Amino acid sequence: MSAFLYGVTLQWKLDIRSKSLLITCYVVPLLFFAVMGGIFTSINPEAKNTLIQSMTVLGVSTGALIGLPPSLVEIYGSDIKKVYKANGVPLYLGLISMFLSAFIHLLIMCAIIYIVAPIAFDAAPPASFPLYFGSLAVFIAASLSIGCVLGLSVKNQSKLTMISQVIFLPSIMLSGIMFPVALLPGFFKIAGKIFPATWGYDMMADDIFHFGSLWPLITILLTAAILCVLLLKRLQKT
């Protein structure tokens, strides 16, 4: 257990020095928040009621879908994987340590938005602190699980970037953070429910817990976990 905790701590420290993770987990989300927060609240004053949730969804999706997968490819698509196998280190250790490290980084980024938004843009904080951060934790885990599947299944960096963008862009556009989902055509409303961003936004924006928004995220998380196990077994054989 101590070795595992040491591995997670070491990975977290390495990620702090990683420019790609720094950009996708902190710089891009917080810069977008600083610029678009003022624009959103100026165009539509009602946006203050959901500014924290919308900027959080964008930041988590950016870090999980664009930041995490390339970091996994650096391990499982390179000679580092051979080092793991040669030294008897389980392949899942790298995946779990990066998952937990990214989880912590994204949680810190979301906490910054939570604290700064009411001060900088007079945004309304969520009504229930425990409910909000509980919902946020589930949303981060579900989003990172998809990033893990991408990082384990796609070995080519350029192809991975393209696939990540294909998932990231519609998940943001169809989630309701840019404009109300009610304005979307029926097909796009249904398509948006495939992505965790839609359910995460709904759950964090609600003042009351609704299981209807939780179970899709749990389903996505469990499905992705099963896929990760299968992908790791395939990598073990190569």
Side-chain angles (χ1 to χ4, degrees):
M1 186 64 175
S2 59
F4 173 74
L5 292 176
Y6 173 78
V8 174
T9 304
L10 178 61
Q11 185 62 53
W12 187 75
K13 292 179 179 179
L14 290 172
D15 288 342
I16 292 177
R17 297 180 176 89
S18 172
K19 292 183 180 179
S20 61
L21 205 65
L22 176 67
I23 291 173
T24 54
C25 286
Y26 291 103
V27 177
V28 172
L30 294 178
L31 183 60
F32 188 90
F33 162 65
V35 175
M36 297 305 295
I39 295 176
F40 280 2
T41 53
S42 297
I43 295 175
N44 179 18
E46 294 297 323
K48 294 180 180 180
N49 297 325
T50 56
L51 181 65
I52 294 175
Q53 293 87 340
S54 59
M55 294 296 101
T56 296
V57 167
L58 176 75
V60 171
S61 299
T62 302
L65 301 178
I66 299 179
L68 178 62
S71 298
L72 289 173
V73 172
E74 291 178 1
I75 294 178
Y76 295 101
S78 67
D79 291 336
I80 298 178
K81 182 186 72 173
K82 297 179 181 179
V83 175
Y84 271 50
K85 296 173 69 174
N87 289 277
V89 178
L91 287 182
Y92 65 80
L93 181 63
L95 177 67
I96 295 177
S97 61
M98 293 201 72
F99 179 96
L100 293 176
S101 176
F103 184 94
I104 294 171
H105 284 297
L106 290 176
L107 197 59
I108 292 173
M109 179 270 297
C110 294
I112 294 173
I113 292 176
Y114 182 90
I115 295 171
V116 174
I119 301 172
F121 304 112
D122 195 28
S128 174
F129 180 88
L131 177 60
Y132 175 76
F133 276 93
S135 302
L136 174 60
V138 177
F139 170 55
I140 293 176
S143 299
L144 286 174
S145 68
I146 295 178
C148 289
V149 172
L150 292 175
L152 293 175
S153 58
V154 184
K155 296 181 180 180
N156 184 280
Q157 286 280 11
S158 59
K159 185 183 294 184
L160 176 62
T161 300
M162 180 182 65
I163 295 175
S164 297
Q165 291 288 351
V166 167
I167 298 176
F168 170 76
L169 291 175
S171 70
I172 294 301
M173 298 302 295
L174 304 180
S175 64
I177 70 171
M178 306 297 289
F179 40 79
V181 175
L183 299 178
L184 294 172
F187 171 77
F188 290 110
K189 289 181 183 178
I190 297 174
K193 295 180 179 180
I194 300 174
F195 306 102
T198 300
W199 300 107
Y201 179 69
D202 285 346
M203 192 160 58
M204 289 187 292
D206 285 340
D207 294 334
I208 302 174
F209 172 75
H210 293 290
F211 184 73
S213 298
L214 176 62
W215 73 261
L217 291 175
I218 298 296
T219 302
I220 292 171
L221 178 60
L222 294 177
T223 303
I226 294 172
L227 290 175
C228 285
V229 171
L230 296 176
L231 290 168
L232 285 172
K233 287 183 177 180
R234 189 182 70 176
L235 288 170
Q236 185 70 43
K237 297 177 182 179
T238 58

